[in-house]
């Protein structure tokens, strides 16, 4: 279970004609994907809600803290992506570093992250569409409520991805341009109402939080017995864990390494470029927002960026923000969907899931997987009310980040001979800081999120022992033999020299 898959074998698998992805993407495409997946409705809703109920004006600093954790992790992703330019991201890196069972755990974890993200964001897209149209986009089917708006966006995105990643990138570029234009308008108009006095106190004094009781309190609060608090330094740190959701998905850039023309150069550029752009935008919007109105006027679960403009009488901005949110969420659904298919593609090619799913069609994309993911996510988005399940996306992402960070110094020690297009500086200090930062963010998630995560992981181990372990391509290799440089896979997947 702990046998590792060599980096050389992973790279050779990318040349299998039946499961070969087309190399179409450039650093510009990857940067667009990164911005497309990170800048979504969170910039219009999460910023205001977190400022009003958790952090106050210090929400801008919370974004900086979350960005630092992501930046440290991005360094680790960049080294892995330039060393192992193969689809699968953290799953593939774990297979080369920790062995098969850990790779399965990470892959199963990423399936949870992306499936929930696609479905949750699709429902958010549907809500904004309803606001723009002026009526609901749901219908009653007996005792069930069907969200046709969410199903529609998943169907459209799935069709684009099945056609090819280059076309998806072009569509993303248009949508990114629209939402960046909306954000620019918001910043310009909002700046006319800016008052520095609204930023004081920057870190409001702590207050008891009514949303932190029982299993809803953070694991850190339960372990320390400190209880849940809003505002103050603990509120600020808790806010960093919450706004981390706004950065979820930038790691999808690494999953496209196999489809990139020059992954050693372009993947690091795409990661760092997209992360820098979105961090500047998040901090700028949060500063303008909390400078427009006092954070006390943003308290309430329904507070959004539009709330601040409504206070000043600019209700017309609401429709502009809805247009930006629809454009933003369209690209988030697309890139999260892409990440889900590429994780499953890598796991299927390794035999841990049915290998027939890894076949690519005439467009060089895994069409079967794309359709399967679309059906599952459409059913989830169409019929399921997620509620607090959104935090599951955070914990799934953070676990993958920790494993990638820890894996860098391990692979440096076990395979120092590998060519690395990018190298993390100050190893092992930077990877340790990345892992610690992500673990801290995980501790600030609720107990119920941790319980659900443990149950999902237990289910994953059942699936692994029932199917994955017995069908693993790695198990078909003779024990103790590393694949030779001139190995060629035969029909049943067993390498021969």
């Amino acid at each position: 279970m702990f046998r590792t898959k060599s980096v050389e074998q992973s790279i050779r698998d990318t040349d299998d004609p039946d499961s070969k992805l087309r190399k179409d993407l450039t650093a510009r495409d990857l940067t667009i994907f990164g911005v497309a997946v990170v800048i979504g409705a969170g910039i219009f809703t999460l910023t205001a809600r977190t400022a009003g109920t958790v952090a106050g004006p210090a929400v801008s600093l919370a974004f900086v803290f979350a960005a630092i954790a992501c930046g440290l992790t991005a360094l680790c992703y960049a080294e892995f992506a330039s060393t192992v330019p193969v689809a699968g991201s953290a799953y593939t890196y774990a297979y080369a570093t920790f062995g098969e069972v850990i790779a399965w755990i990470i892959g199963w974890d990423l399936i949870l992250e992306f499936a929930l993200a696609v479905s949750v964001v699709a429902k958010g897209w549907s809500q904004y569409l309803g606001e723009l149209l002026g009526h609901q986009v749901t219908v009653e089917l007996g005792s069930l409520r069907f969200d046709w708006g969410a199903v529609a966006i998943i169907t459209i995105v799935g069709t684009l991805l099945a056609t090819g990643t280059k076309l998806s990138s072009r569509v993303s570029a248009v949508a990114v341009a629209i939402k960046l234009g909306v954000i620019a308008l918001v910043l310009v108009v909002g700046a006319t109402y800016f008052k520095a006095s609204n930023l004081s106190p920057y870190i409001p004094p702590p207050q008891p939080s009514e949303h932190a009781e029982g299993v809803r309190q953070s694991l850190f609060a339960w372990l320390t017995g400190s209880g849940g608090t809003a505002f103050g330094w603990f509120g600020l740190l808790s806010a960093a864990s919450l706004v981390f959701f706004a950065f979820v998905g930038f790691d999808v850039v690494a999953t496209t390494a196999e489809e990139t023309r020059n992954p050693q150069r372009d993947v690091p550029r795409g990661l760092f470029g997209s992360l820098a752009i979105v961090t500047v935008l998040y901090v700028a919007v949060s500063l303008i927002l909390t400078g427009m109105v006092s954070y006390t006027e943003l308290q309430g679960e329904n507070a959004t960026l539009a709330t601040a403009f409504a206070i000043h009488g600019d209700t017309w901005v609401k429709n502009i923000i809805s247009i930006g949110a629809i454009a933003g969420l369209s690209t988030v659904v697309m890139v999260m969907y892409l990440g889900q298919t590429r994780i499953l593609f890598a796991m299927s090619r390794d035999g841990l899931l049915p290998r027939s799913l890894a076949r690519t069609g005439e467009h060089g994309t895994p069409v079967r997987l794309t359709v399967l993911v679309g059906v599952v996510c459409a059913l989830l988005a169409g019929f399921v009310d997620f509620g607090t399940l959104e935090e599951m996306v955070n914990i799934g992402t953070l676990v993958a980040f920790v494993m990638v960070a820890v894996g860098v110094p391990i692979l440096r020690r076990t395979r120092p001979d590998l060519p690395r297009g990018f190298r993390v500086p100050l190893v092992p200090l930077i990877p340790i800081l990345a892992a610690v930062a992500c673990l801290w963010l995980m501790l600030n998630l609720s107990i119920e999120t941790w319980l659900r995560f443990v149950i999902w992981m237990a289910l994953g181990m059942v699936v692994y022992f029932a199917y994955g372990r017995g069908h693993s391509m790695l198990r078909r290799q003779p024990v103790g033999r590393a694949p030779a440089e001139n190995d060629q896979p035969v029909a049943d997947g067993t390498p021969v020299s």
Side-chain angles (χ1 to χ4, degrees):
M1 291 190 300
F2 291 94
R3 289 182 66 193
T4 58
K5 181 180 180 181
S6 72
V7 173
E8 292 82 0
Q9 182 63 48
S10 293
I11 294 175
R12 279 197 298 274
D13 285 348
T14 65
D15 293 325
D16 185 347
D18 291 330
S19 58
K20 188 178 181 66
L21 296 172
R22 194 160 60 189
K23 296 181 180 294
D24 281 336
L25 304 179
T26 63
R28 176 179 175 274
D29 295 320
L30 299 187
T31 302
I32 290 173
F33 273 143
V35 175
V37 72
V38 176
I39 298 291
I43 199 168
F44 303 114
T45 57
L46 185 63
T47 304
R49 192 164 59 242
T50 306
T53 60
V54 183
V59 65
S60 55
L61 186 57
F63 275 113
V64 173
F65 287 168
I68 290 173
C70 291
L72 292 171
T73 310
L75 290 169
C76 301
Y77 266 96
E79 175 162 329
F80 265 118
S82 67
T83 308
V84 194
V86 178
S89 184
Y91 158 77
T92 300
Y93 310 153
Y95 215 154
T97 309
F98 302 103
E100 182 174 282
V101 68
I102 303 300
W104 168 267
I105 290 173
I106 296 301
W108 188 253
D109 164 55
L110 292 174
I111 291 173
L112 171 71
E113 172 196 342
F114 290 124
L116 284 181
V118 170
S119 304
V120 167
V121 175
K123 290 184 78 71
W125 184 93
S126 180
Q127 291 173 359
Y128 276 101
L129 179 64
E131 289 184 11
L132 201 60
L133 297 177
H135 59 79
Q136 290 187 341
V137 289
T138 58
V139 294
E140 301 292 336
L141 297 177
S143 60
L144 297 175
R145 176 174 293 180
F146 176 64
D147 191 334
W148 62 263
V151 174
I153 185 59
I154 289 175
T155 303
I156 293 170
V157 165
T159 303
L160 287 171
L161 290 175
T163 304
T165 52
K166 190 64 177 179
L167 176 61
S168 304
S169 175
R170 289 170 181 166
V171 174
S172 292
V174 174
V176 166
I178 293 173
K179 63 183 174 182
L180 291 182
V182 171
I183 292 172
L185 177 65
V186 166
L187 291 174
V188 171
V189 176
T192 62
Y193 300 112
F194 185 87
K195 291 183 179 179
S197 58
N198 287 327
L199 298 180
S200 182
Y202 186 67
I203 302 179
Q207 301 174 11
S209 173
E210 60 183 18
H211 300 289
E213 299 176 353
V215 294
R216 297 184 64 185
Q217 65 180 316
S218 70
L219 182 61
F220 176 79
W222 179 74
L223 289 173
T224 60
S226 60
T229 59
F231 308 113
W233 278 100
F234 281 109
L236 171 59
L237 295 174
S238 179
S241 296
L242 294 175
V243 300
F244 175 80
F245 183 80
F247 290 93
V248 165
F250 85 89
D251 56 313
V252 175
V253 173
T255 71
T256 62
E258 191 173 328
E259 297 163 85
T260 305
R261 295 172 186 171
N262 188 346
Q264 287 77 13
R265 180 196 66 190
D266 294 343
V267 173
R269 290 182 180 180
L271 282 168
F272 300 136
S274 58
L275 191 57
I277 292 170
V278 300
T279 300
V280 170
L281 290 176
Y282 277 140
V283 172
V285 169
S286 57
L287 283 173
I288 289 294
L289 171 68
T290 51
M292 287 177 63
V293 296
S294 170
Y295 72 93
T296 57
E297 297 183 86
L298 298 173
Q299 294 178 351
E301 292 297 321
N302 296 320
T304 66
L305 192 57
T307 304
F309 286 95
I311 292 173
H312 289 285
D314 287 339
T315 54
W316 60 272
V317 178
K318 180 179 180 181
N319 288 336
I320 300 296
I321 289 176
S322 293
I323 293 173
I326 288 174
L329 290 178
S330 299
T331 58
V332 174
V333 173
M334 178 180 292
V335 183
M336 286 293 190
Y337 195 141
L338 174 68
Q340 176 72 290
T341 59
R342 295 321 184 249
I343 294 295
L344 291 171
F345 172 81
M347 297 175 74
S348 299
R349 188 163 59 186
D350 290 333
L352 300 183
L353 293 173
R355 276 179 58 81
S356 60
L357 296 176
R359 291 177 184 169
T360 52
E362 59 178 314
H363 298 293
T365 58
V367 177
R368 293 183 182 181
L369 270 177
T370 303
V371 173
L372 176 63
V373 169
V375 171
V376 172
C377 290
L379 290 173
L380 288 174
F383 294 101
V384 177
D385 184 14
F386 288 94
T388 57
L389 284 178
E390 295 179 17
E391 281 195 15
M392 295 289 287
V393 179
N394 284 18
I395 194 169
T397 304
L398 288 166
V399 168
F401 282 9
V402 170
M403 296 306 295
V404 170
V406 173
V408 167
I410 292 178
L411 195 63
R412 284 273 191 101
R413 186 175 66 251
T414 58
R415 293 298 308 273
D417 57 305
L418 290 174
R420 291 167 168 83
F422 176 87
R423 297 177 69 89
V424 178
L426 302 177
V427 172
L429 177 61
I430 295 297
I432 290 174
L433 290 176
V436 169
C438 292
L439 286 171
W440 169 253
L441 294 176
M442 290 171 65
L443 285 175
N444 282 279
L445 295 173
S446 67
I447 296 174
E448 64 179 346
T449 297
W450 278 91
L451 293 175
R452 289 168 177 162
F453 181 71
V454 169
I455 293 172
W456 175 257
M457 287 293 105
L459 176 61
M461 293 310 298
V462 172
V463 175
Y464 172 72
F465 283 107
Y467 181 88
R469 187 167 183 263
H471 292 80
S472 167
M473 298 301 295
L474 191 64
R475 281 176 58 84
R476 299 187 183 188
Q477 296 176 3
V479 176
R481 173 188 177 275
E485 189 63 35
N486 60 341
D487 278 355
Q488 296 294 329
V490 295
D492 67 350
T494 305
V496 295
S497 296

